């Protein structure tokens, strides 16, 4: 049997946001590899082996998947959201580059998914309607000094911003520093969107002006979006709409 490896995005949480392409790949799989809560989203069935693992063993997980694919298995590596956005696709290709020649000869396919950044933006309107950037605020794989540098430069360039992994129990002080930098660099009341567990039954969304944002508004299940100086809030009955115009005044 010829093996294959698919790296698939499961979307932000809701089952109907998983693409048909990903669903079909999972239906053909003999093995599914991924972080424990993501693998838990896959329904067990005859002929399918699930391989859940801890969140900090990405390269080990990638190597295990590649070894099984070389052995003839049809392997799917799952990530939440999109596998190419702070997720497993980069880890798999890092393992391929450093691994044996047989891994480079494998049939490897990346299947995109709806990332939390886009799902959160869609919930409130179009806050990412113009130039934007995404920053992972976890310092597990990069120094905090680099996070601060990129954050300040993005704010000074007036990008809309999307923050992944904003605040955890292990590093509660980091997001407080992020808010300090934003308030210093932006000096305005642009909107911030805190979208927790977007698309799931636990979804909660708060929209607040930057000066009113507090560290405790975010945790690891929260996607944080920051508008630009031109981002608009349309007040109405119910939740407001937030959008960033597609043009910038000269």
């Amino acid at each position: 049997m010829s093996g294959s490896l698919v790296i698939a995005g499961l979307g932000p949480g809701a089952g109907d946001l998983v693409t048909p392409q990903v669903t079909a790949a999972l239906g053909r799989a003999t093995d599914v590899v991924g972080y424990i809560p993501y693998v838990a989203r896959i329904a067990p069935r005859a002929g399918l082996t699930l391989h859940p693992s801890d969140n900090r063993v990405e390269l080990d997980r990638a190597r295990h998947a590649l070894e099984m694919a070389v052995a003839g298995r049809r392997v799917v590596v799952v990530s939440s959201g999109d596998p190419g956005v702070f997720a497993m696709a980069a880890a798999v290709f890092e393992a391929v580059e450093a691994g044996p020649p047989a891994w480079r000869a494998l049939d490897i396919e990346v299947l995109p998914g709806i990332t939390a950044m886009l799902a959160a933006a869609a919930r409130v309107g179009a806050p990412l309607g113009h130039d934007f950037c995404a920053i992972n605020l976890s310092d597990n794989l990069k120094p905090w000094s680099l996070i601060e540098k990129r954050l300040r430069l993005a704010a000074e360039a007036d990008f809309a911003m999307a923050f992944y992994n904003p605040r955890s129990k292990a590093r509660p002080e980091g997001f407080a520093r992020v808010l300090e930098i934003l308030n210093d660099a932006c000096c305005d009341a642009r909107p911030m969107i805190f979208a927790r567990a977007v698309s799931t039954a636990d979804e909660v969304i708060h929209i607040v002006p930057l000066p009113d944002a507090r560290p405790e508004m975010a945790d690891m299940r929260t996607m944080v979006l920051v508008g630009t100086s031109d981002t608009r809030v349309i007040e109405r009955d119910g939740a407001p709409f937030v959008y960033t115009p597609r043009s910038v005044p000269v």
Side-chain angles (χ1 to χ4, degrees), residues 4-134:
S4 63
L5 180 62
V6 171
I7 312 163
L10 297 179
D16 58 0
L17 293 182
V18 180
T19 70
Q21 191 181 34
V22 169
T23 299
L26 290 169
R28 296 189 296 268
T30 61
D31 299 83
V32 172
V33 178
Y35 178 37
I36 296 166
Y38 307 153
V39 173
R41 293 174 57 184
I42 309 303
R45 60 171 169 79
L48 176 66
T49 303
L50 303 178
H51 303 268
S53 54
D54 187 71
N55 197 31
R56 296 199 180 194
V57 293
E58 288 91 348
L59 280 175
D60 289 341
R61 183 186 302 143
R63 295 184 189 107
H64 182 210
L66 288 159
E67 288 166 354
M68 287 191 294
V70 165
R73 310 289 287 177
R74 294 188 300 275
V75 184
V76 176
V77 177
V78 294
S79 296
S80 68
D82 181 277
V85 179
F86 306 125
M88 281 302 299
V92 169
F93 290 116
E94 183 177 348
V96 168
E97 184 179 24
W103 290 0
R104 299 189 181 208
L106 276 170
D107 176 16
I108 300 177
E109 185 177 13
V110 180
L111 302 183
I114 299 172
T115 186
M117 171 180 66
L118 301 181
R123 278 290 192 263
V124 300
L128 306 179
H130 203 279
D131 298 338
F132 68 89
C133 67

Side-chain angles (χ1 to χ4, degrees), residues 57 87 130 141 163 198 232:
V57 293
H130 203 279
L141 298 174
F163 297 147
V198 67
R232 308 282 196 264

Side-chain angles (χ1 to χ4, degrees), residues 33 91 123 153 224 244:
V33 178
R123 278 290 192 263
L153 290 173
V224 180
T244 302

